[in-house]
């Protein structure tokens, strides 16, 4: 069997809690409230975020691994969980000082952080659940 040609995807899930406020500084108070509703709360609001990281590529014929899952676990912990867990994304993180922390922007930032640490021959997709029914996905 030619293991070099086996394309496989591996997945890892993680969790973090964070608060945010959706707000466009150039808009009036009324425009922000009308567009973002409760998500524009002056005192912020929080989510129990779930992330699902998918790494895809060809299995190494020697190790039988696509990637060491301990590495993926540690990468997610260091780059995402430690950075965002129990933080106010607007106030406590550099990434969202100038970017509105929408789910769409959060998933992109997560993808960028992980992509920078993965081998170029691996494909990456990140799914972010803001609630069990609302989620976004980014794959570059």
């Amino acid at each position: 069997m030619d293991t070099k040609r086996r394309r496989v995807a591996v997945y890892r899930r993680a969790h973090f809690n964070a608060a945010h406020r959706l707000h466009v500084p150039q808009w009036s108070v009324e425009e922000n409230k009308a567009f973002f509703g409760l998500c524009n709360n002056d005192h912020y609001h929080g989510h129990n975020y779930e992330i699902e990281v998918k790494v895809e590529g060809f299995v190494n014929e020697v190790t039988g691994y696509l990637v060491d899952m301990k590495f993926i676990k540690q990468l997610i912990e260091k780059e995402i969980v430690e950075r965002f867990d129990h933080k106010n994304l607007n106030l406590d993180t550099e990434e969202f000082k100038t970017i509105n922390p929408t789910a769409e922007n959060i998933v992109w930032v997560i993808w960028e952080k992980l992509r920078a640490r993965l081998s170029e021959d691996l494909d990456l997709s990140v799914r972010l659940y803001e609630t069990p029914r609302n989620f976004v996905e980014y794959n570059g």
Side-chain angles (χ1 to χ4, degrees), residues 20-25 89-91 93-102 104-109 112:
H20 68 156
R21 178 184 185 214
L22 303 184
H23 185 80
V24 175
L89 298 177
N90 301 77
L91 302 177
T93 68
E94 288 303 313
E95 293 79 6
F96 298 104
K97 294 276 187 211
T98 60
I99 300 172
N100 201 10
T102 62
E104 294 87 344
N105 283 334
I106 297 167
V107 76
W108 171 74
V109 165
E112 288 281 322

Side-chain angles (χ1 to χ4, degrees), residues 42-132:
D42 292 340
H43 301 288
Y44 306 89
H45 69 284
H47 294 282
N48 299 314
Y49 291 102
E50 295 287 335
I51 61 172
E52 182 179 277
V53 174
K54 175 184 173 185
V55 179
E56 189 172 1
F58 292 101
V59 174
N60 180 291
E61 65 181 279
V62 175
T63 66
Y65 274 2
L66 170 66
V67 63
D68 186 343
M69 291 301 288
K70 288 184 304 261
F71 170 73
I72 299 299
K73 177 185 175 185
Q74 292 165 351
L75 181 62
I76 293 168
E77 183 66 28
K78 181 176 180 356
E79 295 294 331
I80 310 310
V81 176
E82 287 179 14
R83 187 180 308 266
F84 300 137
D85 191 36
H86 286 83
K87 300 284 179 22
N88 180 315
L89 298 177
N90 301 77
L91 302 177
D92 300 332
T93 68
E94 288 303 313
E95 293 79 6
F96 298 104
K97 294 276 187 211
T98 60
I99 300 172
N100 201 10
T102 62
E104 294 87 344
N105 283 334
I106 297 167
V107 76
W108 171 74
V109 165
I110 291 170
W111 186 92
E112 288 281 322
K113 297 280 182 205
L114 299 178
R115 177 74 267 167
R117 301 279 314 278
L118 286 174
S119 172
E120 289 291 322
D121 62 338
L122 297 173
D123 294 330
L124 173 65
S125 181
V126 177
R127 187 175 282 183
L128 175 74
Y129 290 84
E130 200 169 60
T131 73

